[in-house]
């Protein structure tokens, strides 16, 4: 199941400017195309929505938390667990 389309606006200065991103929820992936070639990022749990935080970072919603994800380094930085309004320490 694919959902939650995300557009990287061409004028925004994002490295993937002009790219269309979407989630394969059941496959636990974020997908895009770079110069016609498919690119994907695999996650350990279901991911379903995102928003741009900076030129290279997305705030991604998964089945259990919100986290920052850097598209260039493929690293997660911080996480906020859903429920109870509590925050967690940065991911290791």
């Amino acid at each position: 199941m694919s959902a939650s389309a995300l557009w990287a606006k061409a004028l925004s200065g994002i490295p993937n400017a002009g790219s269309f991103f979407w989630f394969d929820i059941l496959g636990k992936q974020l997908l895009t195309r770079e110069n016609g070639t498919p690119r994907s990022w695999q996650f350990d749990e279901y991911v379903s929505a995102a928003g741009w935080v900076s030129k290279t970072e997305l705030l991604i919603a998964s089945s259990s938390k919100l986290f920052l994800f850097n598209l260039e380094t493929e690293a997660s930085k911080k996480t906020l667990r859903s429920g109870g309004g509590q925050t967690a320490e940065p991911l290791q």
Side-chain angles (χ1 to χ4, degrees):
M1 174 187 343
S2 295
S4 299
L6 183 67
W7 177 255
K9 201 172 176 182
L11 300 176
S12 63
I14 297 169
N16 296 310
S19 296
F20 182 73
F21 292 80
W22 69 98
F23 287 97
D24 174 355
I25 297 171
L26 298 178
K28 303 176 184 176
Q29 293 181 318
L30 172 64
L31 303 119
T32 191
R33 287 188 165 279
E34 291 181 350
N35 300 316
T37 303
R39 180 163 183 202
S40 65
W41 294 267
Q42 186 70 45
F43 297 92
D44 294 333
E45 59 185 313
Y46 298 114
V47 287
S48 60
W52 292 106
V53 176
S54 71
K55 293 179 181 180
T56 59
E57 283 186 319
L58 293 172
L59 177 64
I60 296 180
S62 73
S63 55
S64 68
K65 62 186 176 255
L66 295 173
F67 62 96
L68 292 175
F69 183 75
N70 189 304
L71 292 170
E72 290 182 340
T73 65
E74 299 185 11
S76 297
K77 279 189 176 177
K78 294 182 180 177
T79 182
L80 299 172
R81 294 189 186 142
S82 59
Q86 298 179 4
T87 60
E89 295 298 318
L91 295 174
Q92 300 298 320

